Amino acid sequence: MDSRQIADFVEERWASSVLPALERYVAIPNQSPAFDPEWASNGHMERALELCVDWVHGERVPNLTLEVHRLPGRTPLLWLEVPGQGDDTVLLYGHIDKQPPMEPWAEGLGPWKPVRRGDRLYGRGAADDGYALFAATLAVAALERNRIPHARCVVLVEACEESGSPDLPAYLETLREKIGRPSLVVCLDSGCGDYERLWVTTSLRGLLNGTLRVRVLDEGVHSGGAGGIVPSSFRIARELLSRLEDSRTGEILPTELHVEVPDSRRRQLVEAAAILGETVHREYPFRPGVRPVHDDPRELLLGRTWKPQLEIIGAGGLPPLHSAGNVLRPETALRVSLRLPPTLDAKQARDVVRRTFETDPPYGAEVSFDGDQVADGWNAPDEEAWLGESLQRASQEFFGRPAAYIGEGGTIPFMAMLGRAYPRAQFVITGVLGPRSNAHGPNEFLHLPTARRLTACVARILADHAARPR
């Protein structure tokens, strides 16, 4: 494979074709169904899908076929297929649905306003994960145009990943025979430690979201009269949270929510920390004087990837500040989000958290925990020799530096699903969500040079996969 030819092809297509299409994609407010329950009638997802379909057709990739699959009551799924040599299959994955706006954005920027500043394309969804369809398609196209052998390639692009991929299992089952048994899975929805090399994701945390509800009264009463007699629902909720988390250190207390970290992951973590140093925490927009939870980047990476972590992401029963009266409120509800270690069973974790909250409630308060969203994490299988060599070769060819490995703190439910479905497959999980890219938050951006180089890296990996020893 002539890496220069591949790089030139990718650079040209990104500049002339992908970037204009991505800018149009950013302008479409196609929020995931969890954030836009009326997504079907609003039509934004359909517009985004049509844009992707039109772009793929316009690229005229040799031998490519495209299908849009629809199941009743579910978001659509885009299917691309390019036949290859032999009976092997590579599955490539991305998604087109987006997170909500998360205002405010910086001056001149906006979630549905594509803005290019230097090497960055700002706007919701370009990096998470709109670019993936374009990158995966171009990687295969680069091989086709240069007559470089590759296996059969299937590209799946879903439209509900940001809602936890609830529709994906039904499609995987419906298309099970059509997909076959992939020997390689490539997912482009992950992160990178910096923009200087190819980063390979080794693990993803699981997720448990639920609502902790504490009720003490049938209705609110004057706090002057009830204070000191009726226990505060907020104080009870705070005490219950202290059963789960050490409020001083952030350590999750139940031992059942922790796992043993594999030695190989610890070694990779140390290597990643040596590369990144203080970048591990400097990428975040801390207020002046605020420090990270630890000074050692190794401990920070460990906490972000293999330790459970708690965040309260919403609250109920609390009036807005401007209308808060002197009332002892009847109820406090907290939206609890718990990131789980990669190898921990999420449903078992839900049972542990429910028992932790509901057993022996203070003052006999009415306490419930509804863990309504669970997703297992994922730990990559052992890497075969050919793949390790291919990743290093790709990074050196297109980034000029060796590849690196890192765990991610987020959750991609699709990976746990595929890990169970294809236990013998090799996995390449990577992405463009690097320092300050701020997926899910304001000022999200796509680092364009990284996206182009990553596209070329995928082409190299596909070529090496076809040439690997059997």
Side-chain angles (χ1 to χ4, degrees):
M1 181 177 123
D2 186 332
S3 59
R4 186 68 262 164
Q5 285 184 330
I6 298 298
D8 289 345
F9 173 82
V10 168
E11 290 277 346
E12 190 280 324
R13 296 315 297 156
W14 261 91
S16 64
S17 178
V18 175
L19 188 53
L22 264 180
E23 290 175 336
R24 295 194 299 275
Y25 166 80
V26 166
I28 302 173
N30 57 312
Q31 297 180 67
S32 199
F35 312 107
D36 181 10
E38 305 301 321
W39 65 269
S41 58
N42 287 336
H44 302 309
M45 199 72 72
E46 196 66 25
R47 288 171 54 206
L49 182 67
E50 290 174 359
L51 183 153
C52 294
V53 168
D54 291 345
W55 179 85
V56 172
H57 283 319
E59 285 300 294
R60 301 184 182 278
V61 180
N63 306 312
L64 183 146
T65 58
L66 181 151
E67 301 170 3
V68 176
H69 291 267
R70 301 179 190 273
L71 293 174
R74 299 189 183 276
T75 51
L77 182 99
L78 183 60
W79 169 286
L80 280 62
E81 181 176 350
V82 180
Q85 289 67 42
D87 58 359
D88 215 347
T89 295
V90 176
L91 182 62
L92 300 100
Y93 167 84
H95 68 86
I96 60 169
D97 57 312
K98 301 176 184 178
Q99 283 279 323
M102 185 61 75
E103 304 284 2
W105 287 51
E107 184 177 357
L109 302 178
W112 322 124
K113 178 182 178 181
V115 175
R116 184 173 178 184
R117 292 181 179 174
D119 288 334
R120 299 178 176 185
L121 173 62
Y122 286 89
R124 176 65 82 229
D128 184 24
D129 179 45
Y131 89 99
L133 164 71
F134 303 96
T137 304
L138 279 192
V140 179
L143 301 182
E144 285 285 315
R145 302 287 186 190
N146 289 279
R147 301 183 183 278
I148 298 170
H150 60 83
R152 169 181 176 251
C153 292
V154 172
V155 182
L156 289 184
V157 181
E158 66 161 316
C160 63
E161 191 276 340
E162 300 293 4
S163 302
S165 296
D167 297 341
L168 193 57
Y171 281 111
L172 290 178
E173 179 58 29
T174 300
L175 300 170
R176 181 166 52 88
E177 292 187 8
K178 188 178 176 70
I179 294 172
R181 305 292 296 182
S183 60
L184 176 64
V185 176
V186 179
C187 172
L188 302 177
D189 189 27
S190 193
C192 52
D194 60 24
Y195 302 115
E196 306 298 326
R197 71 201 78 232
L198 173 64
W199 285 89
V200 182
T201 298
T202 57
S203 62
L204 297 156
R205 284 193 291 192
L207 180 67
L208 167 60
N209 281 356
T211 300
L212 169 63
R213 195 175 299 276
V214 179
R215 191 168 184 85
V216 295
L217 293 169
D218 290 328
E219 60 185 11
V221 295
H222 194 297
S223 62
I229 297 176
V230 179
S232 163
S233 63
F234 187 88
R235 179 165 63 85
I236 293 172
R238 187 173 58 186
E239 181 177 343
L240 295 174
L241 289 176
S242 294
R243 296 178 178 181
L244 181 64
E245 177 197 52
D246 184 324
S247 62
R248 186 178 59 85
T249 65
E251 184 80 6
I252 299 301
L253 298 175
T255 57
E256 305 99 311
L257 298 178
H258 293 260
V259 301
E260 187 68 28
V261 182
D263 290 341
S264 61
R265 298 294 178 243
R266 287 189 179 274
R267 289 194 297 270
Q268 291 167 341
L269 184 148
V270 169
E271 293 170 0
I275 292 171
L276 298 175
E278 291 187 353
T279 304
V280 171
H281 63 83
R282 282 189 174 174
E283 70 164 289
Y284 301 102
F286 284 100
R287 293 293 297 167
V290 179
R291 303 184 303 276
V293 298
H294 206 286
D295 294 330
D296 188 338
R298 293 171 297 183
E299 290 298 323
L300 293 176
L301 287 179
L302 183 64
R304 195 186 72 136
T305 57
W306 279 89
K307 288 187 176 182
Q309 301 291 339
L310 174 69
E311 180 56 61
I312 303 303
I313 59 175
L318 296 166
L321 292 176
H322 69 271
S323 59
N326 291 320
V327 174
L328 198 151
R329 297 173 299 99
E331 176 183 274
T332 295
L334 300 175
R335 187 65 176 168
V336 174
S337 181
L338 189 66
R339 294 291 177 176
L340 304 173
T343 55
L344 185 68
D345 184 287
K347 291 182 179 178
Q348 291 182 12
R350 177 173 58 190
D351 293 339
V352 171
V353 174
R354 180 183 292 118
R355 288 196 305 270
T356 299
F357 285 149
E358 294 184 357
T359 301
D360 191 20
Y363 303 101
E366 189 177 294
V367 173
S368 66
F369 176 71
D370 178 17
D372 56 6
Q373 184 180 2
V374 293
D376 286 330
W378 174 82
N379 186 35
D382 292 338
E383 193 176 81
E384 294 178 359
W386 76 266
L387 181 55
E389 294 168 2
S390 179
L391 295 169
Q392 294 300 332
R393 184 183 300 116
S395 189
Q396 288 284 8
E397 286 178 343
F398 300 111
F399 283 92
R401 289 195 170 112
Y405 296 82
I406 194 169
E408 285 293 337
T411 307
I412 307 177
F414 176 75
M415 295 315 309
M417 296 178 199
L418 280 192
R420 290 189 293 266
Y422 310 119
R424 297 184 179 179
Q426 291 284 279
F427 287 80
V428 176
I429 315 303
T430 185
V432 296
L433 298 173
R436 297 281 180 152
S437 58
N438 215 25
H440 297 201
N443 310 320
E444 177 186 340
F445 70 80
L446 172 66
H447 190 257
L448 294 168
T450 296
R452 295 193 295 265
R453 292 167 186 157
L454 184 57
T455 303
C457 285
V458 173
R460 159 56 75 186
I461 294 165
L462 295 179
D464 289 346
H465 168 263
R468 76 194 190 284
R470 305 294 180 93

